[in-house]
Amino acid sequence: MSVFTIEAGLATLGLALLLLEAFNPAISRRTLGLTAIAGTALAFILLLVVPHDTASLPGFIQPWHQLDSLALFYKGFALVITMLVLWLTLECAPYLTRFTLDGKLAEMFSLPLIVCTGMMWMASARDLVTVFVALELVTVSFYVLVAFARKSAFSLEAGVKYLILGALSTGVLVYGIAWIYGATGTMSFDGIAKALANPATSKTAALFGAAVLLCGLGFKVAAAPFHMWVPDVYQGAPTPVTAFLSVGSKAAGFVVLTRALEAFMAEGSIIGSEIQGLLLVIGSLTVLLGSLPAMFQTSVKRLLAYSSISHAGYLLLALACCESARFSLSSGGVVAFYLATYLPMTVLGFLGLGLMRANGLGEDIKDFTGLAKRNPLLALLMTLSFASLAGLPLTAGFLGKLFVFLGLADHGCWGALICAIIAAAAGFYYYFKTILAMYTTEGTDVPALTFSGPAKAVAGALALGILILGVYPKPLQKVLISDRPAVVAK
């Protein structure tokens, strides 16, 4: 058995669950959900025990796939976020069924498995064609998931916006790939790196192709100025789908960016310094255009959408120049570490939103008023989530931002560092505004909120992960020590 076999099995399970519900409408959503979760958990266990070298893959797939530490990390990451999203869908099922035409949720359990397969393929991609095929598998599945609540006007609007802008970004991405191929004569990342190290390669054509390619990927990761779709889509999509977009889709986009930038900014690249400057500008704009508008939001879901944009900016800054001997991590390793810390705190925040919706409440800040009185445990967990997203010391979010800040300082990127600090300060305002609402005395006459034992267990595990990564990140750093050369802009 190989990693590719696990991925193929996961996709097959997704299709099987979809067909099973079609031919057996009486099957319960709980059975579908638990089967999907069990299949994903089995895939994760098998991923830990199968051979972890490229030679273990089937011969016909080896030219297009690789297995290095970064690929294995992102594959595990994809499986973990998929499990959490499937479980969150089960928790939110009572209110989600009210917005579907037939009360069925089969697609909500089958499509995440197909998305997960696409993300795992992207993590191993060696060339731009494989990236494009896997990326579209993920994106097309998300088109359906975003508009799944068909009785909700917000969900339909979000689906249309995501479809139109996603199709446009796909065209831009393909145009960039065409220019890269024309300039370098290859679509493999290793071949592109070698071509860009050759002074005979046309710098103008290569730089234009790389810039257009980054524009296409910028939509996928919600980088400015391609981020305007995020607030409306996140607000309109079902809460589990929003969590998946915020974490899973972002991780998928950044693993592709990491691979591409390893080629564009390799030692000796004729366009390395220009691409680094472009990343610093886009990253600085993204953190500011994500954090500053978030200060004026009254919907917590839109606030988290702008927060997601801001975090994408920090990740772009990390890709630009955050490799450092002090961390024993390449810039791609710093991005992977940041995403690993981003997962538990973001999922925990959306879990709180989902539980509030399941209890008949809304998603505005006013709905959080007096939450500490109605359910002290949920308020505590939400406080930890938002505090970590803000970057409070002794939480996972603090170390992620610290790595980015120190990397920028080490490379003398003072303008980008100032923008990042301003965004972080704004983050403390809008996150703690929500926390303050939870602990006010107003709204205490509202009935108590309840959530199940399994929900408490999962939320507790996420909270524990936030704290452990905040005080003892060494094990994760060891996993992410890159076996690939660091990115060096010349």
mmCIF file of all heavy atoms in Angstrom, residues 102-141:
data_model
loop_
_atom_site.group_PDB
_atom_site.id
_atom_site.type_symbol
_atom_site.label_atom_id
_atom_site.label_comp_id
_atom_site.label_asym_id
_atom_site.label_seq_id
_atom_site.Cartn_x
_atom_site.Cartn_y
_atom_site.Cartn_z
ATOM 1 N N ASP A 102 -34.442 19.115 0.351
ATOM 2 C CA ASP A 102 -35.012 17.814 0.707
ATOM 3 C C ASP A 102 -34.613 17.347 2.100
ATOM 4 O O ASP A 102 -34.941 16.230 2.491
ATOM 5 C CB ASP A 102 -34.591 16.758 -0.321
ATOM 6 C CG ASP A 102 -33.078 16.711 -0.504
ATOM 7 O OD1 ASP A 102 -32.375 17.435 0.228
ATOM 8 O OD2 ASP A 102 -32.604 15.958 -1.383
ATOM 9 N N GLY A 103 -33.916 18.181 2.854
ATOM 10 C CA GLY A 103 -33.495 17.802 4.198
ATOM 11 C C GLY A 103 -32.339 16.821 4.226
ATOM 12 O O GLY A 103 -32.001 16.301 5.293
ATOM 13 N N LYS A 104 -31.707 16.559 3.086
ATOM 14 C CA LYS A 104 -30.595 15.613 3.006
ATOM 15 C C LYS A 104 -29.258 16.352 3.049
ATOM 16 O O LYS A 104 -29.143 17.487 2.598
ATOM 17 C CB LYS A 104 -30.681 14.774 1.728
ATOM 18 C CG LYS A 104 -31.989 14.007 1.562
ATOM 19 C CD LYS A 104 -32.144 12.937 2.634
ATOM 20 C CE LYS A 104 -33.408 12.118 2.409
ATOM 21 N NZ LYS A 104 -33.587 11.073 3.441
ATOM 22 N N LEU A 105 -28.240 15.648 3.586
ATOM 23 C CA LEU A 105 -26.920 16.264 3.719
ATOM 24 C C LEU A 105 -25.812 15.390 3.131
ATOM 25 O O LEU A 105 -24.653 15.522 3.511
ATOM 26 C CB LEU A 105 -26.612 16.530 5.207
ATOM 27 C CG LEU A 105 -27.505 17.522 5.942
ATOM 28 C CD1 LEU A 105 -27.120 17.589 7.407
ATOM 29 C CD2 LEU A 105 -27.408 18.900 5.321
ATOM 30 N N ALA A 106 -26.165 14.487 2.211
ATOM 31 C CA ALA A 106 -25.168 13.544 1.694
ATOM 32 C C ALA A 106 -23.970 14.262 1.082
ATOM 33 O O ALA A 106 -22.812 13.862 1.290
ATOM 34 C CB ALA A 106 -25.815 12.612 0.670
ATOM 35 N N GLU A 107 -24.233 15.326 0.322
ATOM 36 C CA GLU A 107 -23.125 16.045 -0.324
ATOM 37 C C GLU A 107 -22.193 16.676 0.703
ATOM 38 O O GLU A 107 -20.992 16.821 0.458
ATOM 39 C CB GLU A 107 -23.665 17.129 -1.258
ATOM 40 C CG GLU A 107 -24.434 16.604 -2.462
ATOM 41 C CD GLU A 107 -25.919 16.435 -2.170
ATOM 42 O OE1 GLU A 107 -26.299 16.406 -0.975
ATOM 43 O OE2 GLU A 107 -26.704 16.328 -3.130
ATOM 44 N N MET A 108 -22.735 17.054 1.861
ATOM 45 C CA MET A 108 -21.918 17.667 2.903
ATOM 46 C C MET A 108 -20.969 16.657 3.546
ATOM 47 O O MET A 108 -20.001 17.055 4.214
ATOM 48 C CB MET A 108 -22.811 18.273 3.985
ATOM 49 C CG MET A 108 -23.581 19.499 3.539
ATOM 50 S SD MET A 108 -22.535 20.960 3.302
ATOM 51 C CE MET A 108 -22.089 21.336 4.997
ATOM 52 N N PHE A 109 -21.219 15.372 3.368
ATOM 53 C CA PHE A 109 -20.334 14.341 3.901
ATOM 54 C C PHE A 109 -19.450 13.715 2.828
ATOM 55 O O PHE A 109 -18.381 13.191 3.149
ATOM 56 C CB PHE A 109 -21.155 13.243 4.587
ATOM 57 C CG PHE A 109 -21.955 13.723 5.766
ATOM 58 C CD1 PHE A 109 -23.336 13.626 5.776
ATOM 59 C CD2 PHE A 109 -21.334 14.295 6.862
ATOM 60 C CE1 PHE A 109 -24.077 14.072 6.857
ATOM 61 C CE2 PHE A 109 -22.060 14.757 7.943
ATOM 62 C CZ PHE A 109 -23.438 14.640 7.946
ATOM 63 N N SER A 110 -19.879 13.758 1.570
ATOM 64 C CA SER A 110 -19.092 13.130 0.508
ATOM 65 C C SER A 110 -18.114 14.101 -0.147
ATOM 66 O O SER A 110 -16.947 13.751 -0.392
ATOM 67 C CB SER A 110 -20.022 12.539 -0.552
ATOM 68 O OG SER A 110 -20.852 13.538 -1.129
ATOM 69 N N LEU A 111 -18.551 15.326 -0.424
ATOM 70 C CA LEU A 111 -17.679 16.283 -1.115
ATOM 71 C C LEU A 111 -16.437 16.666 -0.308
ATOM 72 O O LEU A 111 -15.361 16.847 -0.901
ATOM 73 C CB LEU A 111 -18.469 17.530 -1.509
ATOM 74 C CG LEU A 111 -19.461 17.333 -2.667
ATOM 75 C CD1 LEU A 111 -20.224 18.623 -2.950
ATOM 76 C CD2 LEU A 111 -18.739 16.874 -3.930
ATOM 77 N N PRO A 112 -16.515 16.803 1.037
ATOM 78 C CA PRO A 112 -15.272 17.078 1.775
ATOM 79 C C PRO A 112 -14.206 16.006 1.584
ATOM 80 O O PRO A 112 -13.006 16.319 1.608
ATOM 81 C CB PRO A 112 -15.744 17.145 3.234
ATOM 82 C CG PRO A 112 -17.150 17.627 3.141
ATOM 83 C CD PRO A 112 -17.694 16.965 1.911
ATOM 84 N N LEU A 113 -14.608 14.754 1.372
ATOM 85 C CA LEU A 113 -13.624 13.704 1.121
ATOM 86 C C LEU A 113 -12.936 13.921 -0.218
ATOM 87 O O LEU A 113 -11.719 13.695 -0.364
ATOM 88 C CB LEU A 113 -14.306 12.339 1.144
ATOM 89 C CG LEU A 113 -14.975 11.934 2.460
ATOM 90 C CD1 LEU A 113 -15.616 10.558 2.325
ATOM 91 C CD2 LEU A 113 -13.974 11.931 3.605
ATOM 92 N N ILE A 114 -13.694 14.383 -1.216
ATOM 93 C CA ILE A 114 -13.104 14.667 -2.532
ATOM 94 C C ILE A 114 -12.212 15.904 -2.449
ATOM 95 O O ILE A 114 -11.128 15.945 -3.055
ATOM 96 C CB ILE A 114 -14.225 14.839 -3.572
ATOM 97 C CG1 ILE A 114 -15.006 13.525 -3.712
ATOM 98 C CG2 ILE A 114 -13.655 15.275 -4.919
ATOM 99 C CD1 ILE A 114 -16.223 13.607 -4.598
ATOM 100 N N VAL A 115 -12.641 16.899 -1.687
ATOM 101 C CA VAL A 115 -11.791 18.079 -1.468
ATOM 102 C C VAL A 115 -10.481 17.667 -0.806
ATOM 103 O O VAL A 115 -9.396 18.107 -1.197
ATOM 104 C CB VAL A 115 -12.529 19.116 -0.597
ATOM 105 C CG1 VAL A 115 -11.575 20.223 -0.167
ATOM 106 C CG2 VAL A 115 -13.704 19.714 -1.353
ATOM 107 N N CYS A 116 -10.584 16.805 0.201
ATOM 108 C CA CYS A 116 -9.388 16.331 0.914
ATOM 109 C C CYS A 116 -8.437 15.626 -0.038
ATOM 110 O O CYS A 116 -7.223 15.825 0.018
ATOM 111 C CB CYS A 116 -9.808 15.404 2.052
ATOM 112 S SG CYS A 116 -8.442 14.784 3.041
ATOM 113 N N THR A 117 -8.980 14.799 -0.926
ATOM 114 C CA THR A 117 -8.138 14.114 -1.909
ATOM 115 C C THR A 117 -7.398 15.116 -2.791
ATOM 116 O O THR A 117 -6.192 14.973 -3.048
ATOM 117 C CB THR A 117 -8.999 13.187 -2.787
ATOM 118 O OG1 THR A 117 -9.702 12.259 -1.950
ATOM 119 C CG2 THR A 117 -8.137 12.424 -3.765
ATOM 120 N N GLY A 118 -8.110 16.147 -3.251
ATOM 121 C CA GLY A 118 -7.465 17.170 -4.070
ATOM 122 C C GLY A 118 -6.362 17.896 -3.322
ATOM 123 O O GLY A 118 -5.280 18.157 -3.878
ATOM 124 N N MET A 119 -6.596 18.202 -2.045
ATOM 125 C CA MET A 119 -5.572 18.885 -1.253
ATOM 126 C C MET A 119 -4.349 17.997 -1.064
ATOM 127 O O MET A 119 -3.208 18.477 -1.077
ATOM 128 C CB MET A 119 -6.158 19.301 0.096
ATOM 129 C CG MET A 119 -7.174 20.422 0.009
ATOM 130 S SD MET A 119 -7.585 21.170 1.598
ATOM 131 C CE MET A 119 -8.416 19.824 2.421
ATOM 132 N N MET A 120 -4.565 16.699 -0.872
ATOM 133 C CA MET A 120 -3.440 15.778 -0.699
ATOM 134 C C MET A 120 -2.640 15.648 -1.990
ATOM 135 O O MET A 120 -1.407 15.550 -1.959
ATOM 136 C CB MET A 120 -3.956 14.419 -0.229
ATOM 137 C CG MET A 120 -4.569 14.442 1.163
ATOM 138 S SD MET A 120 -5.280 12.867 1.675
ATOM 139 C CE MET A 120 -3.798 11.917 2.043
ATOM 140 N N TRP A 121 -3.316 15.648 -3.133
ATOM 141 C CA TRP A 121 -2.594 15.606 -4.413
ATOM 142 C C TRP A 121 -1.794 16.880 -4.616
ATOM 143 O O TRP A 121 -0.667 16.837 -5.122
ATOM 144 C CB TRP A 121 -3.580 15.404 -5.561
ATOM 145 C CG TRP A 121 -4.101 14.002 -5.665
ATOM 146 C CD1 TRP A 121 -3.572 12.899 -5.066
ATOM 147 C CD2 TRP A 121 -5.248 13.561 -6.392
ATOM 148 N NE1 TRP A 121 -4.329 11.788 -5.374
ATOM 149 C CE2 TRP A 121 -5.362 12.155 -6.182
ATOM 150 C CE3 TRP A 121 -6.201 14.188 -7.183
ATOM 151 C CZ2 TRP A 121 -6.378 11.396 -6.755
ATOM 152 C CZ3 TRP A 121 -7.211 13.423 -7.753
ATOM 153 C CH2 TRP A 121 -7.295 12.042 -7.546
ATOM 154 N N MET A 122 -2.348 18.015 -4.258
ATOM 155 C CA MET A 122 -1.623 19.279 -4.417
ATOM 156 C C MET A 122 -0.346 19.295 -3.598
ATOM 157 O O MET A 122 0.673 19.850 -4.018
ATOM 158 C CB MET A 122 -2.518 20.453 -3.991
ATOM 159 C CG MET A 122 -3.310 21.048 -5.124
ATOM 160 S SD MET A 122 -4.088 22.594 -4.682
ATOM 161 C CE MET A 122 -5.450 21.988 -3.727
ATOM 162 N N ALA A 123 -0.401 18.692 -2.395
ATOM 163 C CA ALA A 123 0.769 18.701 -1.516
ATOM 164 C C ALA A 123 1.950 17.973 -2.145
ATOM 165 O O ALA A 123 3.108 18.274 -1.833
ATOM 166 C CB ALA A 123 0.411 18.061 -0.179
ATOM 167 N N SER A 124 1.674 17.004 -3.026
ATOM 168 C CA SER A 124 2.738 16.208 -3.637
ATOM 169 C C SER A 124 3.086 16.633 -5.053
ATOM 170 O O SER A 124 3.982 16.049 -5.668
ATOM 171 C CB SER A 124 2.322 14.723 -3.669
ATOM 172 O OG SER A 124 2.217 14.199 -2.371
ATOM 173 N N ALA A 125 2.398 17.631 -5.572
ATOM 174 C CA ALA A 125 2.545 17.975 -6.993
ATOM 175 C C ALA A 125 3.965 18.412 -7.324
ATOM 176 O O ALA A 125 4.580 19.190 -6.594
ATOM 177 C CB ALA A 125 1.554 19.067 -7.369
ATOM 178 N N ARG A 126 4.458 17.912 -8.465
ATOM 179 C CA ARG A 126 5.781 18.285 -8.941
ATOM 180 C C ARG A 126 5.731 19.238 -10.123
ATOM 181 O O ARG A 126 6.768 19.748 -10.542
ATOM 182 C CB ARG A 126 6.559 17.030 -9.366
ATOM 183 C CG ARG A 126 7.266 16.320 -8.242
ATOM 184 C CD ARG A 126 8.064 15.154 -8.774
ATOM 185 N NE ARG A 126 9.089 14.750 -7.825
ATOM 186 C CZ ARG A 126 9.829 13.658 -7.949
ATOM 187 N NH1 ARG A 126 9.655 12.876 -9.001
ATOM 188 N NH2 ARG A 126 10.733 13.361 -7.054
ATOM 189 N N ASP A 127 4.554 19.454 -10.668
ATOM 190 C CA ASP A 127 4.457 20.307 -11.856
ATOM 191 C C ASP A 127 3.142 21.071 -11.829
ATOM 192 O O ASP A 127 2.228 20.752 -11.062
ATOM 193 C CB ASP A 127 4.565 19.465 -13.128
ATOM 194 C CG ASP A 127 3.420 18.490 -13.263
ATOM 195 O OD1 ASP A 127 3.500 17.387 -12.682
ATOM 196 O OD2 ASP A 127 2.429 18.834 -13.918
ATOM 197 N N LEU A 128 3.041 22.064 -12.676
ATOM 198 C CA LEU A 128 1.892 22.970 -12.685
ATOM 199 C C LEU A 128 0.627 22.305 -13.218
ATOM 200 O O LEU A 128 -0.479 22.697 -12.841
ATOM 201 C CB LEU A 128 2.228 24.214 -13.518
ATOM 202 C CG LEU A 128 3.283 25.148 -12.902
ATOM 203 C CD1 LEU A 128 3.691 26.223 -13.895
ATOM 204 C CD2 LEU A 128 2.763 25.775 -11.612
ATOM 205 N N VAL A 129 0.755 21.313 -14.083
ATOM 206 C CA VAL A 129 -0.433 20.625 -14.590
ATOM 207 C C VAL A 129 -1.117 19.851 -13.469
ATOM 208 O O VAL A 129 -2.342 19.912 -13.302
ATOM 209 C CB VAL A 129 -0.062 19.688 -15.756
ATOM 210 C CG1 VAL A 129 -1.263 18.850 -16.166
ATOM 211 C CG2 VAL A 129 0.441 20.483 -16.944
ATOM 212 N N THR A 130 -0.336 19.119 -12.684
ATOM 213 C CA THR A 130 -0.897 18.390 -11.542
ATOM 214 C C THR A 130 -1.526 19.353 -10.551
ATOM 215 O O THR A 130 -2.599 19.088 -9.998
ATOM 216 C CB THR A 130 0.196 17.561 -10.856
ATOM 217 O OG1 THR A 130 0.841 16.729 -11.815
ATOM 218 C CG2 THR A 130 -0.393 16.687 -9.761
ATOM 219 N N VAL A 131 -0.861 20.474 -10.321
ATOM 220 C CA VAL A 131 -1.414 21.499 -9.432
ATOM 221 C C VAL A 131 -2.765 21.969 -9.934
ATOM 222 O O VAL A 131 -3.744 22.060 -9.172
ATOM 223 C CB VAL A 131 -0.441 22.695 -9.320
ATOM 224 C CG1 VAL A 131 -1.149 23.913 -8.735
ATOM 225 C CG2 VAL A 131 0.750 22.327 -8.452
ATOM 226 N N PHE A 132 -2.858 22.263 -11.221
ATOM 227 C CA PHE A 132 -4.103 22.800 -11.776
ATOM 228 C C PHE A 132 -5.250 21.791 -11.655
ATOM 229 O O PHE A 132 -6.356 22.144 -11.244
ATOM 230 C CB PHE A 132 -3.900 23.184 -13.242
ATOM 231 C CG PHE A 132 -5.148 23.648 -13.919
ATOM 232 C CD1 PHE A 132 -5.668 24.896 -13.642
ATOM 233 C CD2 PHE A 132 -5.825 22.833 -14.808
ATOM 234 C CE1 PHE A 132 -6.841 25.330 -14.248
ATOM 235 C CE2 PHE A 132 -6.993 23.253 -15.420
ATOM 236 C CZ PHE A 132 -7.501 24.506 -15.129
ATOM 237 N N VAL A 133 -4.984 20.527 -11.996
ATOM 238 C CA VAL A 133 -6.036 19.504 -11.932
ATOM 239 C C VAL A 133 -6.523 19.330 -10.487
ATOM 240 O O VAL A 133 -7.731 19.300 -10.218
ATOM 241 C CB VAL A 133 -5.524 18.174 -12.506
ATOM 242 C CG1 VAL A 133 -6.548 17.063 -12.265
ATOM 243 C CG2 VAL A 133 -5.233 18.304 -13.991
ATOM 244 N N ALA A 134 -5.581 19.220 -9.547
ATOM 245 C CA ALA A 134 -5.964 19.031 -8.142
ATOM 246 C C ALA A 134 -6.670 20.269 -7.589
ATOM 247 O O ALA A 134 -7.648 20.158 -6.833
ATOM 248 C CB ALA A 134 -4.726 18.711 -7.308
ATOM 249 N N LEU A 135 -6.180 21.446 -7.966
ATOM 250 C CA LEU A 135 -6.783 22.688 -7.483
ATOM 251 C C LEU A 135 -8.212 22.840 -7.967
ATOM 252 O O LEU A 135 -9.106 23.262 -7.213
ATOM 253 C CB LEU A 135 -5.936 23.879 -7.938
ATOM 254 C CG LEU A 135 -6.293 25.257 -7.366
ATOM 255 C CD1 LEU A 135 -6.148 25.258 -5.854
ATOM 256 C CD2 LEU A 135 -5.401 26.326 -7.975
ATOM 257 N N GLU A 136 -8.461 22.470 -9.202
ATOM 258 C CA GLU A 136 -9.831 22.572 -9.719
ATOM 259 C C GLU A 136 -10.747 21.533 -9.098
ATOM 260 O O GLU A 136 -11.946 21.779 -8.923
ATOM 261 C CB GLU A 136 -9.819 22.437 -11.241
ATOM 262 C CG GLU A 136 -9.276 23.657 -11.950
ATOM 263 C CD GLU A 136 -9.922 24.946 -11.445
ATOM 264 O OE1 GLU A 136 -11.128 25.144 -11.661
ATOM 265 O OE2 GLU A 136 -9.211 25.749 -10.818
ATOM 266 N N LEU A 137 -10.220 20.367 -8.761
ATOM 267 C CA LEU A 137 -11.014 19.375 -8.037
ATOM 268 C C LEU A 137 -11.496 19.946 -6.705
ATOM 269 O O LEU A 137 -12.657 19.782 -6.319
ATOM 270 C CB LEU A 137 -10.183 18.111 -7.803
ATOM 271 C CG LEU A 137 -10.874 16.967 -7.058
ATOM 272 C CD1 LEU A 137 -12.033 16.419 -7.874
ATOM 273 C CD2 LEU A 137 -9.870 15.862 -6.742
ATOM 274 N N VAL A 138 -10.617 20.654 -6.035
ATOM 275 C CA VAL A 138 -10.979 21.296 -4.765
ATOM 276 C C VAL A 138 -11.966 22.435 -5.003
ATOM 277 O O VAL A 138 -12.999 22.540 -4.326
ATOM 278 C CB VAL A 138 -9.708 21.822 -4.065
ATOM 279 C CG1 VAL A 138 -10.072 22.687 -2.860
ATOM 280 C CG2 VAL A 138 -8.825 20.664 -3.632
ATOM 281 N N THR A 139 -11.670 23.294 -5.964
ATOM 282 C CA THR A 139 -12.483 24.492 -6.179
ATOM 283 C C THR A 139 -13.902 24.160 -6.629
ATOM 284 O O THR A 139 -14.876 24.735 -6.121
ATOM 285 C CB THR A 139 -11.804 25.400 -7.232
ATOM 286 O OG1 THR A 139 -10.481 25.709 -6.799
ATOM 287 C CG2 THR A 139 -12.576 26.687 -7.403
ATOM 288 N N VAL A 140 -14.050 23.233 -7.571
ATOM 289 C CA VAL A 140 -15.382 22.871 -8.064
ATOM 290 C C VAL A 140 -16.219 22.263 -6.940
ATOM 291 O O VAL A 140 -17.428 22.521 -6.837
ATOM 292 C CB VAL A 140 -15.271 21.913 -9.269
ATOM 293 C CG1 VAL A 140 -16.634 21.376 -9.652
ATOM 294 C CG2 VAL A 140 -14.643 22.624 -10.452
ATOM 295 N N SER A 141 -15.600 21.467 -6.098
ATOM 296 C CA SER A 141 -16.325 20.900 -4.950
ATOM 297 C C SER A 141 -16.794 22.007 -4.007
ATOM 298 O O SER A 141 -17.909 21.956 -3.472
ATOM 299 C CB SER A 141 -15.434 19.907 -4.200
ATOM 300 O OG SER A 141 -15.055 18.833 -5.028
#
